[in-house]
Amino acid sequence: MNPNLLRTLALVLCMALVSCSSDDTSSIQDETNNAFTFNGTTYNLVSAIIVDENTANNDPSEISISLFNKTSAEITGNNDLSDISYVYFDFEDTTIQNTTYSQIEDYDISIDGTITNGEFTPGTVLLDDNDPQSDVYAQSALVTVTNFTEFNIAFTFTFTRNDGQIISGSYDGNYFMPN
């Protein structure tokens, strides 16, 4: 075999070995989708329910997004449920846009909630818009919608509480939009 051909093959093999990256990605954490994090604990989110308060015309109205760790069928069914993680916020707009919303005045986030006889009861309240002096009141909020189609919504959210604690999360998936 030609010595130059052997050298060329050896050079190509060395370049291929050097350019390959390790398959070990354990040191790099994947971004968690369909979950929110508070105080180092991650809470999974399974479903989204979107409600537009004004479907009669194009006047701005409240559009609310509710996220749960249960399916929309479980949430809208008549069964009693427990251990519910819940994220709720709304904003005024005519439609959901691919943009960042920073005027979020209505919001609630809780864990360990229940539904009994069709009534939701929050468990541990992590965020609440009722008392501006409370630690669980948000001093700032951002919701960034990156995709909204007929079948899918993708967004991130971050709320900073009065006590400095941050609740952040994301959702990318199907949604239920009742008529």
Side-chain angles (χ1 to χ4, degrees):
M1 190 170 220
N2 184 342
N4 286 334
L5 181 60
L6 286 175
R7 287 185 195 121
T8 303
L9 286 174
L11 180 62
V12 169
L13 182 60
C14 286
M15 288 186 340
L17 290 174
V18 170
S19 66
C20 289
S21 65
S22 170
D23 289 339
D24 180 19
T25 59
S26 61
S27 63
I28 301 171
Q29 292 184 351
D30 291 334
E31 180 181 329
T32 302
N33 283 328
N34 299 350
F36 71 93
T37 302
F38 173 72
N39 204 21
T41 303
T42 299
Y43 302 92
N44 291 324
L45 299 169
V46 174
S47 63
I49 298 175
I50 300 174
V51 176
D52 183 354
E53 300 293 327
N54 179 11
T55 58
N57 57 43
N58 284 336
D59 291 340
S61 67
E62 290 184 351
I63 298 174
S64 68
I65 298 177
S66 299
L67 304 167
F68 301 92
N69 66 330
K70 309 287 184 190
T71 67
S72 58
E74 288 175 308
I75 294 297
T76 59
N78 290 325
N79 298 322
D80 291 349
L81 297 172
S82 61
D83 191 33
I84 298 172
S85 296
Y86 172 66
V87 174
Y88 166 86
F89 54 85
D90 70 22
F91 46 85
E92 286 197 22
D93 209 339
T94 55
T95 60
I96 297 175
Q97 303 293 318
N98 291 347
T99 190
T100 297
Y101 297 93
S102 60
Q103 297 298 320
I104 311 292
E105 296 180 8
D106 297 324
Y107 50 83
D108 290 294
I109 298 178
S110 64
I111 55 172
D112 300 323
T114 60
I115 294 178
T116 307
N117 296 325
E119 292 292 322
F120 174 73
T121 303
T124 303
V125 175
L126 303 179
L127 193 71
D128 184 71
D129 62 12
N130 285 329
D131 181 7
Q133 302 306 313
S134 170
D135 283 347
V136 297
Y137 191 84
Q139 60 178 271
S140 67
L142 292 174
V143 175
T144 301
V145 178
T146 55
N147 185 42
F148 182 66
T149 66
E150 185 178 354
F151 302 106
N152 180 271
I153 187 166
F155 60 91
T156 60
F157 57 92
T158 302
F159 292 89
T160 303
R161 299 179 353 164
N162 279 344
D163 63 3
Q165 296 265 20
I166 295 174
I167 300 171
S168 63
S170 63
Y171 183 84
D172 184 349
N174 295 335
Y175 60 88
F176 175 68
M177 190 173 216
N179 293 333

